[in-house]
Amino acid sequence: MESLYVLIIVLAGIILYSVFTYFRQKKILKTLTEEEFKSGYRKAQLIDVREQKEYDGGHILGARNIPLSQLKMRLGEIRADKPVYIYCQNGMRSGRAAQLLHKKGVKDLYQLQGGFKKWTGKIKRK
């Protein structure tokens, strides 16, 4: 019976953390439709936070690849004074990337709704 209480407390903690993270991301990161994303990303820093292999398989024309796994080490490559448009495969990693960038002083953050898998615009393959 005691282990059931522990399990319930752990699950409640995970749910609370997930809800907190979701609302924090919504506050610091604006999600754009593909049309909104297309209209603004050329005047911004376009960052693909997927891994190199995913990027090589196809990416938005003009995107720079800085995988989420390398983002902490490569923060110096991103300017805090220019908008940052980020995307990943489906939107999960771009949310985590936005939290990291926001902590480092980047405030103008946008992500592609649905991620790269929903993108219908021009792409480039390596």
Short mmCIF file of all heavy atoms in Angstrom, two decimals, residues 67-120:
data_model
loop_
_atom_site.label_atom_id
_atom_site.label_comp_id
_atom_site.label_asym_id
_atom_site.label_seq_id
_atom_site.Cartn_x
_atom_site.Cartn_y
_atom_site.Cartn_z
N PRO A 67 22.44 21.02 -33.56
CA PRO A 67 21.65 20.02 -32.84
C PRO A 67 21.46 20.37 -31.36
O PRO A 67 22.36 20.95 -30.75
CB PRO A 67 22.47 18.73 -32.98
CG PRO A 67 23.32 18.96 -34.19
CD PRO A 67 23.62 20.43 -34.20
N LEU A 68 20.31 20.03 -30.82
CA LEU A 68 20.03 20.30 -29.42
C LEU A 68 21.13 19.73 -28.53
O LEU A 68 21.53 20.36 -27.54
CB LEU A 68 18.66 19.70 -29.03
CG LEU A 68 18.23 19.89 -27.59
CD1 LEU A 68 18.10 21.37 -27.23
CD2 LEU A 68 16.93 19.16 -27.32
N SER A 69 21.67 18.57 -28.91
CA SER A 69 22.72 17.93 -28.11
C SER A 69 24.01 18.76 -28.06
O SER A 69 24.84 18.58 -27.18
CB SER A 69 23.03 16.54 -28.65
OG SER A 69 23.48 16.61 -30.00
N GLN A 70 24.18 19.71 -29.00
CA GLN A 70 25.39 20.55 -29.03
C GLN A 70 25.10 22.02 -28.68
O GLN A 70 26.02 22.84 -28.63
CB GLN A 70 25.99 20.54 -30.44
CG GLN A 70 26.42 19.19 -30.93
CD GLN A 70 26.87 19.25 -32.39
OE1 GLN A 70 27.09 20.32 -32.95
NE2 GLN A 70 26.99 18.09 -33.01
N LEU A 71 23.84 22.34 -28.45
CA LEU A 71 23.44 23.73 -28.30
C LEU A 71 24.18 24.47 -27.19
O LEU A 71 24.62 25.60 -27.38
CB LEU A 71 21.93 23.82 -28.10
CG LEU A 71 21.32 25.23 -28.16
CD1 LEU A 71 21.64 25.93 -29.47
CD2 LEU A 71 19.82 25.16 -27.95
N LYS A 72 24.34 23.84 -26.03
CA LYS A 72 25.03 24.51 -24.91
C LYS A 72 26.43 24.94 -25.30
O LYS A 72 26.87 26.03 -24.95
CB LYS A 72 25.11 23.57 -23.70
CG LYS A 72 23.96 23.69 -22.77
CD LYS A 72 24.19 22.86 -21.52
CE LYS A 72 22.96 22.92 -20.64
NZ LYS A 72 22.98 21.92 -19.58
N MET A 73 27.13 24.07 -26.04
CA MET A 73 28.51 24.37 -26.43
C MET A 73 28.58 25.40 -27.57
O MET A 73 29.61 26.02 -27.76
CB MET A 73 29.20 23.09 -26.90
CG MET A 73 29.34 22.03 -25.83
SD MET A 73 30.04 20.50 -26.48
CE MET A 73 28.76 19.93 -27.57
N ARG A 74 27.48 25.55 -28.32
CA ARG A 74 27.51 26.41 -29.50
C ARG A 74 26.64 27.66 -29.36
O ARG A 74 26.34 28.32 -30.35
CB ARG A 74 27.07 25.59 -30.72
CG ARG A 74 28.04 24.43 -31.00
CD ARG A 74 27.60 23.58 -32.16
NE ARG A 74 27.56 24.33 -33.40
CZ ARG A 74 27.06 23.83 -34.53
NH1 ARG A 74 26.60 22.60 -34.58
NH2 ARG A 74 27.05 24.57 -35.63
N LEU A 75 26.30 28.03 -28.13
CA LEU A 75 25.45 29.21 -27.90
C LEU A 75 26.05 30.49 -28.48
O LEU A 75 25.33 31.38 -28.89
CB LEU A 75 25.18 29.39 -26.41
CG LEU A 75 24.12 28.48 -25.82
CD1 LEU A 75 24.11 28.60 -24.30
CD2 LEU A 75 22.75 28.77 -26.39
N GLY A 76 27.37 30.57 -28.52
CA GLY A 76 28.04 31.75 -29.05
C GLY A 76 27.77 32.00 -30.52
O GLY A 76 27.99 33.10 -31.02
N GLU A 77 27.26 31.01 -31.23
CA GLU A 77 26.96 31.15 -32.65
C GLU A 77 25.61 31.84 -32.90
O GLU A 77 25.29 32.19 -34.02
CB GLU A 77 26.92 29.77 -33.33
CG GLU A 77 28.25 29.06 -33.31
CD GLU A 77 28.16 27.67 -33.92
OE1 GLU A 77 27.40 27.48 -34.89
OE2 GLU A 77 28.86 26.76 -33.42
N ILE A 78 24.84 32.03 -31.83
CA ILE A 78 23.50 32.61 -31.97
C ILE A 78 23.49 34.00 -31.36
O ILE A 78 23.86 34.18 -30.20
CB ILE A 78 22.45 31.70 -31.31
CG1 ILE A 78 22.46 30.33 -32.00
CG2 ILE A 78 21.06 32.33 -31.38
CD1 ILE A 78 21.64 29.27 -31.32
N ARG A 79 23.06 34.97 -32.15
CA ARG A 79 23.00 36.36 -31.68
C ARG A 79 21.72 36.60 -30.90
O ARG A 79 20.64 36.25 -31.35
CB ARG A 79 23.05 37.30 -32.89
CG ARG A 79 24.40 37.31 -33.57
CD ARG A 79 24.42 38.18 -34.79
NE ARG A 79 23.89 39.52 -34.53
CZ ARG A 79 23.82 40.48 -35.44
NH1 ARG A 79 24.23 40.25 -36.67
NH2 ARG A 79 23.33 41.66 -35.14
N ALA A 80 21.85 37.24 -29.74
CA ALA A 80 20.69 37.53 -28.89
C ALA A 80 19.89 38.72 -29.39
O ALA A 80 18.74 38.90 -29.01
CB ALA A 80 21.14 37.77 -27.46
N ASP A 81 20.50 39.54 -30.28
CA ASP A 81 19.82 40.76 -30.74
C ASP A 81 19.01 40.55 -32.03
O ASP A 81 18.43 41.49 -32.55
CB ASP A 81 20.84 41.88 -30.94
CG ASP A 81 21.87 41.56 -32.01
OD1 ASP A 81 22.08 40.36 -32.30
OD2 ASP A 81 22.47 42.51 -32.57
N LYS A 82 18.97 39.34 -32.54
CA LYS A 82 18.19 39.04 -33.75
C LYS A 82 17.18 37.93 -33.44
O LYS A 82 17.47 37.04 -32.65
CB LYS A 82 19.12 38.54 -34.87
CG LYS A 82 19.86 39.64 -35.59
CD LYS A 82 20.62 39.08 -36.76
CE LYS A 82 19.70 38.82 -37.95
NZ LYS A 82 20.40 38.27 -39.11
N PRO A 83 16.00 37.97 -34.09
CA PRO A 83 15.02 36.91 -33.85
C PRO A 83 15.60 35.54 -34.21
O PRO A 83 16.42 35.42 -35.12
CB PRO A 83 13.87 37.26 -34.80
CG PRO A 83 14.08 38.67 -35.21
CD PRO A 83 15.54 38.95 -35.06
N VAL A 84 15.16 34.51 -33.49
CA VAL A 84 15.60 33.14 -33.75
C VAL A 84 14.36 32.30 -34.09
O VAL A 84 13.42 32.23 -33.30
CB VAL A 84 16.34 32.54 -32.53
CG1 VAL A 84 16.72 31.09 -32.81
CG2 VAL A 84 17.58 33.36 -32.20
N TYR A 85 14.40 31.71 -35.27
CA TYR A 85 13.35 30.79 -35.71
C TYR A 85 13.95 29.39 -35.59
O TYR A 85 14.96 29.11 -36.23
CB TYR A 85 12.95 31.08 -37.16
CG TYR A 85 11.99 32.24 -37.30
CD1 TYR A 85 12.29 33.50 -36.79
CD2 TYR A 85 10.78 32.08 -37.95
CE1 TYR A 85 11.41 34.55 -36.91
CE2 TYR A 85 9.90 33.14 -38.09
CZ TYR A 85 10.21 34.37 -37.57
OH TYR A 85 9.33 35.42 -37.69
N ILE A 86 13.34 28.56 -34.76
CA ILE A 86 13.87 27.22 -34.55
C ILE A 86 12.83 26.17 -34.94
O ILE A 86 11.63 26.41 -34.86
CB ILE A 86 14.34 26.98 -33.11
CG1 ILE A 86 13.33 27.48 -32.09
CG2 ILE A 86 15.68 27.54 -32.84
CD1 ILE A 86 13.76 27.29 -30.65
N TYR A 87 13.35 25.03 -35.35
CA TYR A 87 12.46 23.91 -35.61
C TYR A 87 13.21 22.60 -35.40
O TYR A 87 14.44 22.56 -35.41
CB TYR A 87 11.87 23.97 -37.03
CG TYR A 87 12.85 23.70 -38.14
CD1 TYR A 87 13.01 22.41 -38.64
CD2 TYR A 87 13.63 24.72 -38.69
CE1 TYR A 87 13.92 22.15 -39.66
CE2 TYR A 87 14.53 24.47 -39.70
CZ TYR A 87 14.67 23.18 -40.19
OH TYR A 87 15.57 22.92 -41.19
N CYS A 88 12.42 21.55 -35.18
CA CYS A 88 12.96 20.20 -35.07
C CYS A 88 12.03 19.30 -35.88
O CYS A 88 11.35 19.79 -36.78
CB CYS A 88 13.07 19.77 -33.59
SG CYS A 88 11.49 19.72 -32.72
N GLN A 89 11.96 18.04 -35.56
CA GLN A 89 11.12 17.15 -36.35
C GLN A 89 9.64 17.38 -36.08
O GLN A 89 8.84 17.44 -36.99
CB GLN A 89 11.49 15.68 -36.07
CG GLN A 89 10.90 14.69 -37.05
CD GLN A 89 11.39 14.88 -38.49
OE1 GLN A 89 12.46 15.43 -38.73
NE2 GLN A 89 10.59 14.46 -39.44
N ASN A 90 9.26 17.52 -34.79
CA ASN A 90 7.84 17.67 -34.47
C ASN A 90 7.51 18.73 -33.42
O ASN A 90 6.37 18.92 -33.08
CB ASN A 90 7.25 16.32 -34.04
CG ASN A 90 7.92 15.76 -32.82
OD1 ASN A 90 8.57 16.49 -32.08
ND2 ASN A 90 7.79 14.47 -32.61
N GLY A 91 8.51 19.42 -32.88
CA GLY A 91 8.25 20.51 -31.94
C GLY A 91 8.72 20.28 -30.51
O GLY A 91 8.73 21.21 -29.72
N MET A 92 9.14 19.07 -30.17
CA MET A 92 9.58 18.80 -28.80
C MET A 92 10.96 19.39 -28.51
O MET A 92 11.15 20.10 -27.53
CB MET A 92 9.61 17.28 -28.54
CG MET A 92 8.25 16.62 -28.64
SD MET A 92 7.07 17.23 -27.44
CE MET A 92 7.73 16.52 -25.96
N ARG A 93 11.91 19.11 -29.36
CA ARG A 93 13.28 19.58 -29.13
C ARG A 93 13.38 21.10 -29.27
O ARG A 93 14.15 21.74 -28.56
CB ARG A 93 14.26 18.89 -30.08
CG ARG A 93 14.52 17.44 -29.71
CD ARG A 93 15.39 16.76 -30.71
NE ARG A 93 14.59 16.35 -31.85
CZ ARG A 93 15.04 15.66 -32.89
NH1 ARG A 93 16.31 15.33 -32.96
NH2 ARG A 93 14.25 15.32 -33.87
N SER A 94 12.60 21.68 -30.18
CA SER A 94 12.67 23.14 -30.34
C SER A 94 12.19 23.83 -29.07
O SER A 94 12.70 24.90 -28.72
CB SER A 94 11.90 23.60 -31.57
OG SER A 94 10.56 23.19 -31.54
N GLY A 95 11.24 23.24 -28.36
CA GLY A 95 10.80 23.80 -27.07
C GLY A 95 11.91 23.78 -26.04
O GLY A 95 12.13 24.76 -25.33
N ARG A 96 12.63 22.68 -25.98
CA ARG A 96 13.76 22.58 -25.03
C ARG A 96 14.88 23.55 -25.43
O ARG A 96 15.51 24.18 -24.59
CB ARG A 96 14.27 21.14 -24.94
CG ARG A 96 13.26 20.23 -24.25
CD ARG A 96 13.87 18.97 -23.68
NE ARG A 96 14.60 18.14 -24.61
CZ ARG A 96 14.07 17.17 -25.34
NH1 ARG A 96 12.79 16.91 -25.28
NH2 ARG A 96 14.82 16.44 -26.15
N ALA A 97 15.12 23.65 -26.73
CA ALA A 97 16.15 24.58 -27.21
C ALA A 97 15.78 26.01 -26.85
O ALA A 97 16.63 26.79 -26.42
CB ALA A 97 16.32 24.44 -28.73
N ALA A 98 14.51 26.35 -26.99
CA ALA A 98 14.05 27.71 -26.66
C ALA A 98 14.29 28.02 -25.18
O ALA A 98 14.71 29.13 -24.84
CB ALA A 98 12.58 27.87 -27.00
N GLN A 99 14.04 27.06 -24.31
CA GLN A 99 14.27 27.29 -22.88
C GLN A 99 15.74 27.60 -22.61
O GLN A 99 16.06 28.52 -21.86
CB GLN A 99 13.84 26.07 -22.07
CG GLN A 99 12.35 25.94 -21.95
CD GLN A 99 11.95 24.74 -21.13
OE1 GLN A 99 12.36 23.62 -21.39
NE2 GLN A 99 11.14 24.98 -20.12
N LEU A 100 16.62 26.86 -23.25
CA LEU A 100 18.05 27.07 -23.08
C LEU A 100 18.47 28.44 -23.63
O LEU A 100 19.20 29.19 -22.98
CB LEU A 100 18.82 25.96 -23.79
CG LEU A 100 20.33 25.93 -23.61
CD1 LEU A 100 20.71 25.78 -22.15
CD2 LEU A 100 20.91 24.78 -24.42
N LEU A 101 17.99 28.78 -24.82
CA LEU A 101 18.32 30.07 -25.43
C LEU A 101 17.78 31.23 -24.60
O LEU A 101 18.45 32.25 -24.43
CB LEU A 101 17.76 30.14 -26.86
CG LEU A 101 18.45 29.24 -27.87
CD1 LEU A 101 17.64 29.13 -29.15
CD2 LEU A 101 19.85 29.75 -28.18
N HIS A 102 16.58 31.08 -24.08
CA HIS A 102 15.96 32.12 -23.26
C HIS A 102 16.79 32.38 -22.01
O HIS A 102 17.00 33.53 -21.62
CB HIS A 102 14.53 31.73 -22.89
CG HIS A 102 13.76 32.82 -22.25
ND1 HIS A 102 13.63 32.92 -20.88
CD2 HIS A 102 13.09 33.87 -22.77
CE1 HIS A 102 12.91 33.98 -20.59
NE2 HIS A 102 12.57 34.58 -21.72
N LYS A 103 17.28 31.31 -21.39
CA LYS A 103 18.15 31.44 -20.20
C LYS A 103 19.41 32.22 -20.52
O LYS A 103 19.97 32.89 -19.66
CB LYS A 103 18.57 30.05 -19.70
CG LYS A 103 17.74 29.51 -18.59
CD LYS A 103 18.39 28.25 -18.05
CE LYS A 103 17.34 27.25 -17.67
NZ LYS A 103 17.86 25.92 -17.43
N LYS A 104 19.89 32.11 -21.75
CA LYS A 104 21.12 32.79 -22.17
C LYS A 104 20.86 34.17 -22.77
O LYS A 104 21.74 34.76 -23.37
CB LYS A 104 21.89 31.93 -23.18
CG LYS A 104 22.36 30.62 -22.59
CD LYS A 104 23.35 30.84 -21.45
CE LYS A 104 23.80 29.55 -20.84
NZ LYS A 104 24.64 29.76 -19.68
N GLY A 105 19.63 34.67 -22.63
CA GLY A 105 19.35 36.05 -23.02
C GLY A 105 18.69 36.25 -24.38
O GLY A 105 18.46 37.39 -24.78
N VAL A 106 18.38 35.19 -25.08
CA VAL A 106 17.68 35.33 -26.37
C VAL A 106 16.19 35.42 -26.06
O VAL A 106 15.63 34.51 -25.45
CB VAL A 106 17.98 34.13 -27.31
CG1 VAL A 106 17.26 34.31 -28.63
CG2 VAL A 106 19.47 33.97 -27.52
N LYS A 107 15.55 36.52 -26.47
CA LYS A 107 14.15 36.73 -26.09
C LYS A 107 13.17 36.63 -27.26
O LYS A 107 11.99 36.40 -27.06
CB LYS A 107 13.98 38.11 -25.43
CG LYS A 107 14.86 38.33 -24.22
CD LYS A 107 14.55 37.38 -23.09
CE LYS A 107 15.42 37.64 -21.89
NZ LYS A 107 15.68 36.49 -21.07
N ASP A 108 13.63 36.80 -28.46
CA ASP A 108 12.76 36.82 -29.65
C ASP A 108 12.78 35.43 -30.30
O ASP A 108 13.50 35.20 -31.26
CB ASP A 108 13.29 37.89 -30.61
CG ASP A 108 12.19 38.53 -31.43
OD1 ASP A 108 11.02 38.14 -31.29
OD2 ASP A 108 12.52 39.44 -32.22
N LEU A 109 11.97 34.49 -29.75
CA LEU A 109 12.02 33.08 -30.16
C LEU A 109 10.72 32.61 -30.81
O LEU A 109 9.63 32.87 -30.29
CB LEU A 109 12.31 32.21 -28.94
CG LEU A 109 13.67 32.41 -28.28
CD1 LEU A 109 13.68 31.87 -26.87
CD2 LEU A 109 14.74 31.73 -29.12
N TYR A 110 10.86 31.90 -31.91
CA TYR A 110 9.72 31.39 -32.66
C TYR A 110 9.98 29.95 -33.07
O TYR A 110 11.11 29.58 -33.37
CB TYR A 110 9.50 32.22 -33.93
CG TYR A 110 9.32 33.69 -33.64
CD1 TYR A 110 10.43 34.54 -33.59
CD2 TYR A 110 8.07 34.23 -33.38
CE1 TYR A 110 10.28 35.89 -33.30
CE2 TYR A 110 7.91 35.57 -33.08
CZ TYR A 110 9.02 36.39 -33.05
OH TYR A 110 8.87 37.72 -32.75
N GLN A 111 8.91 29.14 -33.09
CA GLN A 111 9.06 27.76 -33.55
C GLN A 111 8.00 27.46 -34.60
O GLN A 111 6.94 28.05 -34.62
CB GLN A 111 8.99 26.77 -32.40
CG GLN A 111 7.59 26.46 -31.92
CD GLN A 111 7.55 25.30 -30.95
OE1 GLN A 111 8.48 24.51 -30.87
NE2 GLN A 111 6.48 25.21 -30.19
N LEU A 112 8.33 26.50 -35.45
CA LEU A 112 7.44 26.06 -36.52
C LEU A 112 6.42 25.08 -35.95
O LEU A 112 6.79 24.05 -35.39
CB LEU A 112 8.25 25.39 -37.64
CG LEU A 112 7.48 24.76 -38.78
CD1 LEU A 112 6.63 25.80 -39.52
CD2 LEU A 112 8.45 24.09 -39.75
N GLN A 113 5.14 25.42 -36.10
CA GLN A 113 4.06 24.55 -35.62
C GLN A 113 4.13 23.19 -36.33
O GLN A 113 4.18 23.13 -37.55
CB GLN A 113 2.72 25.22 -35.91
CG GLN A 113 1.52 24.50 -35.36
CD GLN A 113 0.26 25.29 -35.64
OE1 GLN A 113 0.11 25.92 -36.69
NE2 GLN A 113 -0.65 25.28 -34.68
N GLY A 114 4.18 22.13 -35.56
CA GLY A 114 4.22 20.78 -36.13
C GLY A 114 5.60 20.32 -36.56
O GLY A 114 5.78 19.17 -36.92
N GLY A 115 6.58 21.22 -36.54
CA GLY A 115 7.95 20.86 -36.89
C GLY A 115 8.15 20.58 -38.38
O GLY A 115 7.28 20.80 -39.21
N PHE A 116 9.34 20.06 -38.69
CA PHE A 116 9.74 19.83 -40.07
C PHE A 116 8.83 18.83 -40.78
O PHE A 116 8.61 18.93 -41.98
CB PHE A 116 11.20 19.35 -40.12
CG PHE A 116 11.73 19.18 -41.51
CD1 PHE A 116 12.03 20.27 -42.30
CD2 PHE A 116 11.93 17.90 -42.04
CE1 PHE A 116 12.52 20.12 -43.59
CE2 PHE A 116 12.43 17.74 -43.33
CZ PHE A 116 12.71 18.85 -44.11
N LYS A 117 8.29 17.87 -40.04
CA LYS A 117 7.46 16.85 -40.69
C LYS A 117 6.18 17.44 -41.29
O LYS A 117 5.59 16.85 -42.18
CB LYS A 117 7.14 15.70 -39.73
CG LYS A 117 6.18 16.02 -38.62
CD LYS A 117 5.93 14.79 -37.78
CE LYS A 117 4.93 15.13 -36.68
NZ LYS A 117 4.69 13.99 -35.84
N LYS A 118 5.78 18.64 -40.85
CA LYS A 118 4.59 19.31 -41.41
C LYS A 118 4.95 20.35 -42.48
O LYS A 118 4.09 20.95 -43.09
CB LYS A 118 3.80 20.01 -40.30
CG LYS A 118 3.31 19.10 -39.21
CD LYS A 118 2.02 18.44 -39.60
CE LYS A 118 1.49 17.66 -38.42
NZ LYS A 118 0.36 16.86 -38.74
N TRP A 119 6.24 20.59 -42.69
CA TRP A 119 6.72 21.61 -43.62
C TRP A 119 6.42 21.21 -45.06
O TRP A 119 6.72 20.09 -45.47
CB TRP A 119 8.21 21.80 -43.40
CG TRP A 119 8.86 22.83 -44.28
CD1 TRP A 119 9.64 22.60 -45.38
CD2 TRP A 119 8.82 24.26 -44.14
NE1 TRP A 119 10.07 23.78 -45.91
CE2 TRP A 119 9.58 24.82 -45.18
CE3 TRP A 119 8.18 25.10 -43.23
CZ2 TRP A 119 9.73 26.19 -45.33
CZ3 TRP A 119 8.33 26.47 -43.38
CH2 TRP A 119 9.10 27.00 -44.41
N THR A 120 5.87 22.15 -45.83
CA THR A 120 5.58 21.87 -47.24
C THR A 120 6.39 22.78 -48.18
O THR A 120 6.27 22.68 -49.39
CB THR A 120 4.08 22.05 -47.56
OG1 THR A 120 3.71 23.41 -47.27
CG2 THR A 120 3.22 21.10 -46.75
#
